[in-house]
Amino acid sequence: MSQLLETVAPHYQLGLCQIGELDEAIIAEMLHLTPTQQVIHSLLAGKLEGDAQSTKVFSLADLRDEVLLERLLKRLDQLTDQEVNDLLNAEETQ
């Protein structure tokens, strides 16, 4: 089932990643699972940026704080002045 989802996901501008380890207690609470229910598999999904055919493959090392910060700073540099203002004002309108 996961393979089928991963196959069609890029068509919908989605990227999927199978997650090998997660805190089952937190997930069970978030999903309101009963004691007779159990998570047996998990996928992480997100919107693809740019061309779905040229997606990057990331490893667990890419989740380190310094790598995430570098990626965030690069993305912030790409924002227009209007996008920056919209982001800064977003909290005020909520």
Side-chain angles (χ1 to χ4, degrees):
M1 183 58 75
S2 295
Q3 182 62 44
L4 290 172
L5 289 170
E6 289 176 355
T7 301
V8 299
H11 177 72
Y12 298 98
Q13 291 297 97
L14 290 173
L16 295 176
C17 177
Q18 297 183 43
I19 304 299
E21 184 177 332
L22 51 84
D23 188 329
E24 292 183 36
I26 291 174
I27 299 298
E29 183 178 333
M30 289 174 60
L31 297 176
H32 305 287
L33 300 181
T34 67
T36 61
Q37 297 173 316
Q38 181 179 5
V39 174
I40 58 171
H41 194 69
S42 58
L43 294 170
L44 180 64
K47 183 179 184 296
L48 292 175
E49 294 182 9
D51 181 14
Q53 303 304 318
S54 62
T55 59
K56 295 179 182 176
V57 176
F58 295 102
S59 69
L60 288 179
D62 293 317
L63 298 177
R64 295 184 317 235
D65 288 343
E66 59 270 16
V67 174
L68 293 174
L69 179 59
E70 181 181 338
R71 288 178 55 207
L72 175 61
L73 292 174
K74 283 182 183 178
R75 179 63 181 111
L76 288 174
D77 284 341
Q78 297 171 354
L79 295 176
T80 66
D81 290 341
Q82 183 61 49
E83 289 172 323
V84 171
N85 286 330
D86 290 346
L87 286 171
L88 292 173
N89 295 323
E91 186 175 304
E92 296 173 10
T93 60
Q94 292 182 4

